Amino acid sequence: MDNIIGTSPVIAVLRAADASDYAPVVETLINNQVTTIELTLTTPRTLELLPELMAQFQDRAHIGVGTVLNAQDAETAHSAGAKFIIAPNFNAEVLKVAGERYIPGVFSPTEVATAIGAGCKAVKIFPAQTVGAGYLKHLRGPFPGLQAIPSGGVDLEQAKAWMKAGSPAVSVGGPLLGDVFSTQDYDALARRTRQFVEDLGA
């Protein structure tokens, strides 16, 4: 898994008004031990500015792209050097482009089986808040060793539970980032990030 999501157990999911807002937030996260970053395509200009961001942070962060819904966007992200490609769903055409870097969103056992059968090394349980960490234990009955990353409404307490259940990492957005994109309060983000990492035992 390290070659897909890096070494940080926390994947910070960034959604902003524009991709030009990303850099200081990424810098703050890195400086406080969260080095795996998901830049979402719901943020305007993410693909446009991705090469610049990759060049700026490539030696210090493990940056991937999220909400990738089609092969064209996957190809653009892949070409820019994205370390992983994450989606809310499974798409065979995106898998062809991204290969082992692809982490599709799944929910049901059927979707898990489809993704694993297609060659995915890891999956994203989405929306994770709906089922809770106990769901991973149930899934690992028929799918031993399943590498599943929870995403969607995961706060600190839920993150702890998923990690305890065996998740290699957790995707966290709002509970970690708060309103930093509107306030530019990077000191508050730094404090939250340090506390999150410390409490998670990362």
Side-chain angles (χ1 to χ4, degrees), residues 150-171:
S151 178
V154 178
D155 60 17
L156 177 58
E157 292 307 311
Q158 291 168 346
K160 289 179 182 178
W162 281 95
M163 295 292 287
K164 186 176 180 179
S167 291
V170 293
S171 290

Side-chain angles (χ1 to χ4, degrees), residues 104-116 122-128 131-150 162 165 167:
V106 299
F107 193 72
S108 70
T110 297
E111 293 172 339
V112 172
T114 298
I116 293 175
V123 296
K124 177 175 83 167
I125 303 296
F126 176 80
V131 289
Y135 191 49
L136 180 54
K137 179 181 178 180
H138 293 301
L139 286 176
R140 281 188 161 176
F143 306 108
L146 176 67
Q147 297 296 296
I149 300 165
W162 281 95
S167 291

Side-chain angles (χ1 to χ4, degrees), residues 81-92:
K83 301 297 185 183
F84 52 87
I85 304 291
I86 292 184
N89 64 315
F90 173 78
N91 184 311

Side-chain angles (χ1 to χ4, degrees), residues 28 48 99 101 133 158 176:
T28 302
E48 178 185 339
R101 298 186 186 191
Q158 291 168 346
L176 175 63

Side-chain angles (χ1 to χ4, degrees), residues 10 16 30 41 65 78 80 88 91 116 118 120 133 137 152 168 184 195 197:
V10 178
I30 293 170
L41 294 191
V65 174
H78 186 78
N91 184 311
I116 293 175
C120 295
K137 179 181 178 180
Q184 286 84 51
Q195 191 66 55
V197 170

